[in-house]
Amino acid sequence: MLPVMFKNSWFPTVFDDFLNTDLMPRANTTAPAVNVKEDEKAYTMEVAAPGIKKEFCRVNINEDGILSVAIENKLEHKEGGHKHHYLRREFSYSNYEQNYTLPEDVEKDKISAKVENGILTIVMPKLEKEQKKVAKNINIA
């Protein structure tokens, strides 16, 4: 068996001790999960944002038709007046911004967004396809 394949208990600890210092802080960045659905009338994007308020969300379209979705952490952490302290604190709220190229058939003027039950939902209606009126003679065989 190769030495690399042995599981040494000291190996992760050495690197954790080296990397998890004030000189190299841990990066706790995670992007929210995103679902995109399509039906005959619209595309629907769902962004998981548990506990976020609509005031912290921003949805824009720029002049090039790029959809920008941003969730900003504006929570103030106040510790005053509490008679307890955290032994472990894993809740992390970080800023998130992502740009999306929209399909050609999105009606950009009618895009809407809402926050409900921890989900930012963006509805992007499709352009209505014009029904061409066709007049022609049909040959009878």
Side-chain angles (χ1 to χ4, degrees), residues 72-100:
E72 298 177 355
N73 176 17
K74 294 185 180 179
L75 299 176
E76 296 179 17
H77 301 287
K78 296 180 181 178
E79 296 293 329
H82 297 291
K83 296 186 186 233
H84 62 273
H85 68 280
Y86 288 95
L87 296 176
R88 183 178 183 113
R89 192 173 210 171
E90 291 186 349
F91 286 6
S92 174
Y93 299 97
S94 59
N95 294 340
Y96 165 78
E97 185 167 355
Q98 182 70 44
N99 294 320
Y100 299 93

Side-chain angles (χ1 to χ4, degrees), residues 23-91:
L23 299 175
M24 296 183 76
R26 287 175 49 179
N28 287 332
T29 57
T30 57
V34 177
N35 294 333
V36 179
K37 301 184 288 189
E38 178 186 11
D39 61 27
E40 60 276 353
K41 294 185 180 184
Y43 299 96
T44 303
M45 179 183 293
E46 300 168 331
V47 181
I52 204 75
K53 296 179 182 177
K54 71 178 185 175
E55 295 84 24
F56 302 155
C57 299
R58 192 179 69 235
V59 179
N60 298 318
I61 300 175
N62 69 13
E63 57 277 351
D64 297 325
I66 304 295
L67 180 74
S68 176
V69 177
I71 300 172
E72 298 177 355
N73 176 17
K74 294 185 180 179
L75 299 176
E76 296 179 17
H77 301 287
K78 296 180 181 178
E79 296 293 329
H82 297 291
K83 296 186 186 233
H84 62 273
H85 68 280
Y86 288 95
L87 296 176
R88 183 178 183 113
R89 192 173 210 171
E90 291 186 349
F91 286 6

Side-chain angles (χ1 to χ4, degrees), residues 40-43 104-108 110 124-132:
E40 60 276 353
K41 294 185 180 184
Y43 299 96
E104 294 289 326
D105 61 343
V106 170
E107 194 164 354
K108 294 173 180 71
K110 294 188 178 180
M124 299 164 280
K126 292 182 180 181
L127 290 168
E128 292 184 23
K129 295 180 183 177
E130 294 181 21
Q131 296 291 332
K132 293 183 181 179

